[in-house]
Amino acid sequence: MKKLHVFQHVPFETAGIISQWAEERGYAIATTQFFDGQLPDTGGADWLVIMGGPMGVYDEAQYPWLMEEKKAIKQAI
């Protein structure tokens, strides 16, 4: 099965139309919601969608999960 994984940083910014596109093409969709304390497990996803948010890539002191997110992105690539 084809898999798409979404990294969501804030509750108000969802994958929206990307999810619709993926579902229409038979993708299973998983989401990591960092704002709820979840940590990523991409599980061999075919696509990785990284949503935006108020944080910057170097804001690890305020958002410690950024370190785990960067590891997951590097592993997926």
Side-chain angles (χ1 to χ4, degrees):
M1 174 175 269
K2 302 182 287 185
K3 299 178 184 178
L4 180 135
H5 195 105
V6 178
F7 284 3
Q8 185 179 355
H9 302 106
V10 289
F12 56 84
E13 193 169 71
T14 67
I17 195 83
I18 296 170
S19 294
Q20 179 183 342
W21 175 91
E23 289 171 356
E24 289 172 354
R25 287 157 180 79
Y27 283 86
I29 301 172
T31 303
T32 297
Q33 296 176 327
F34 291 99
F35 59 90
D36 270 346
Q38 297 177 0
L39 293 178
D41 177 10
T42 58
D46 300 296
W47 289 79
L48 184 58
V49 177
I50 303 168
M51 305 304 296
M55 70 293 300
V57 70
Y58 298 111
D59 289 341
E60 293 171 347
Q62 188 174 0
Y63 303 97
W65 47 259
L66 278 170
M67 291 180 280
E68 292 301 319
E69 179 177 14
K70 289 182 216 181
K71 287 179 192 174
I73 293 169
K74 186 176 181 177
Q75 185 179 19
I77 291 171

